[in-house]
Amino acid sequence: MDHAADAHRTDLMTITRFVLNEQSKYPESRGDFTILLSHIVLGCKFVCSAVNKAGLAKLIGLAGETNVQGEEQKKLDVLSNEVFIKALVSSGRTCILVSEEDEEATFVEPSKRGKYCVVFDPLDGSSNIDCGVSIGTIFGIYMIKDGGEPALEDVLQPGKNMIAAGYCMYGSSCTFVLSAGRGVNGFTLDPSLGEFILTHPDIKIPKKGKIYSVNEGNAKNWDGPTAKYVEKCKFPKDGSSVKSLRYIGSMVADVHRTLLYGGIFLYPADKKSPNGKLRVLYEVFPMSYLMEQAGGQAFTGKQRALDLVPEKIHERSPIFLGSYDDVEEIKALYAAEEQK
Ligand code: AFP
């Protein structure tokens, strides 16, 4: 009998236990972050359950229609947003919330305020919902700048100032990936326990990968360096192997694969969208933060992604992120273009 393996199987490291362990390394900590995180985790569990039922829900009424009880079905992304806003406000630890779903930032009323600002996309990849492809929630956390009144400047900070970031992927399993600035850890939801269990400790992205991930349908509008990079992935002239193309069109799923298998994810600028498509605060920054924490890199085509200072809450930026060496190659191509 393998007692060591048995002990491992029965000694479950839940996400709350993990964060409490981390917290105990900081004697001055009052547990606010742990409480905030438990509310984010609750939101993710709710969305996971709603996503799992989405196909079934079609039997009793489509989103936007009325179900058999005469209640209107809320669209999953609208519902997810409401759940997260309520969970975050009720944590009593937040002061400003920026959601992909809401044009304006939410300023939490003074009696429920705390010191954290949360930027999030409650359900990213929503065009994939109806065909059951993996989708996810992405979030980043800032600390309010000083003790004064919360202001928009508190969330218009460079990504490097985030104190934590993560995502939850609703796929064949429900996976929560988190970094609070000391590496990246992955947890998988055990549906029978209703708990996220540490399954991917200290994730490190391979230094170089064999996969590139991009929407090639936009190729005719790409700039020189992006076009050259993708050409090299397919027709390398330096003796290196060709790369495989994988593209789901759901950032959480594409980034999750990149983090575990290595490679590069690109959403570049193009002639039609000079700033790319992805949003700085709740797509580019959290994923860049995780990549750097896992030993990879994230680059905008001009600079380190986490150095960007957003001017607007829904601002967009091109992004290239993934394995250290792969991002290094695209950086060299942009640097060469600048020299011209
Ligand atoms: P949707 O939420 O509209 O499905 O967009 C998803 C997304 O923001 C991100 O998750 C994907 O990486 C990216 O857009 C896919 O964009 P393209 O469809 O243009 O490739």
Side-chain angles (χ1 to χ4, degrees):
M1 197 176 186
D2 185 346
H3 290 290
D6 245 17
H8 185 69
R9 270 197 296 273
T10 50
D11 188 21
L12 303 176
M13 179 60 81
T14 64
I15 192 163
T16 312
R17 178 176 161 198
F18 180 86
V19 176
L20 283 170
N21 280 356
E22 288 294 301
Q23 183 195 311
S24 65
K25 294 176 189 153
Y26 303 91
E28 71 287 358
S29 163
R30 298 199 341 260
D32 288 336
F33 180 74
T34 310
I35 293 171
L36 171 64
L37 198 74
S38 71
H39 284 249
I40 294 177
V41 165
L42 176 68
C44 293
K45 285 183 191 168
F46 180 94
V47 176
C48 177
S49 149
V51 167
N52 285 340
K53 283 186 243 160
L56 195 59
K58 287 211 160 180
L59 296 174
I60 51 165
L62 286 168
E65 289 181 356
T66 307
N67 70 10
V68 283
Q69 282 90 30
E71 301 159 328
E72 185 163 312
Q73 299 278 290
K74 281 207 170 112
K75 280 191 143 190
L76 214 47
D77 42 7
V78 177
L79 182 69
S80 308
N81 190 42
E82 279 184 26
V83 167
F84 275 102
I85 296 272
K86 286 180 182 154
L88 290 167
V89 171
S90 67
S91 75
R93 301 299 184 279
T94 59
C95 52
I96 308 176
L97 309 175
V98 172
S99 166
E100 194 264 348
E101 288 287 326
D102 298 323
E103 208 165 310
E104 306 288 340
T106 301
F107 286 81
V108 177
E109 64 176 85
S111 65
K112 294 187 177 143
R113 258 180 216 164
K115 60 187 173 190
Y116 295 109
C117 312
V118 183
V119 291
F120 63 103
D121 187 342
L123 204 54
D124 189 63
S126 45
S127 60
N128 280 318
I129 295 174
D130 288 345
C131 57
V133 168
S134 298
I135 47 185
T137 297
I138 312 173
F139 64 91
I141 303 175
Y142 289 108
M143 183 92 86
I144 191 165
K145 269 182 176 164
D146 53 43
E149 274 295 292
L152 220 44
E153 288 71 60
D154 290 307
V155 284
L156 297 177
Q157 300 192 54
K160 64 183 173 197
N161 291 0
M162 282 185 170
I163 58 147
Y167 60 78
C168 187
M169 184 176 71
Y170 314 109
S172 52
S173 57
C174 180
T175 311
F176 192 95
V177 174
L178 172 72
S179 176
R182 291 161 54 93
V184 181
N185 290 281
F187 304 81
T188 305
L189 183 66
D190 180 332
S192 61
L193 298 175
E195 291 275 8
F196 281 100
I197 309 293
L198 181 64
T199 46
H200 297 73
D202 197 18
I203 299 173
K204 292 283 174 239
I205 184 169
K207 191 153 179 288
K208 192 168 175 58
K210 295 182 183 139
I211 298 172
Y212 73 105
S213 185
V214 67
N215 184 343
E216 286 225 47
N218 296 329
K220 81 174 166 67
N221 291 319
W222 286 344
D223 63 16
T226 299
K228 268 189 206 146
Y229 181 79
V230 173
E231 182 74 1
K232 183 172 179 279
C233 290
K234 297 194 277 192
F235 305 101
K237 296 204 176 85
D238 58 0
S240 57
S241 312
V242 290
K243 289 192 193 294
S244 293
L245 168 65
R246 298 281 184 272
Y247 190 69
I248 298 167
S250 200
M251 191 188 196
V252 174
D254 281 316
V255 169
H256 187 64
R257 183 202 51 247
T258 306
L259 199 58
L260 296 188
Y261 295 174
I264 188 163
F265 169 84
L266 311 78
Y267 210 110
D270 64 43
K271 281 183 211 130
K272 271 174 35 203
S273 319
N275 295 320
K277 174 183 181 190
L278 302 180
R279 312 293 184 140
V280 172
L281 276 183
Y282 39 80
E283 291 183 309
V284 169
F285 278 173
M287 296 311 201
S288 300
Y289 186 95
L290 291 166
M291 278 297 158
E292 285 200 5
Q293 284 291 322
Q297 297 198 72
F299 176 63
T300 65
K302 292 197 173 101
Q303 60 181 330
R304 174 188 176 212
L306 293 180
D307 282 340
L308 202 73
V309 186
E311 287 173 7
K312 289 186 280 181
I313 58 173
H314 296 296
E315 195 167 306
R316 299 171 198 263
S317 167
I319 186 69
F320 306 87
L321 52 78
S323 292
Y324 193 95
D325 287 355
D326 295 325
V327 178
E328 209 52 25
E329 273 187 38
I330 195 110
K331 280 164 78 177
L333 289 168
Y334 274 96
E337 182 82 356
E338 273 211 349
Q339 308 276 293
K340 280 186 188 165

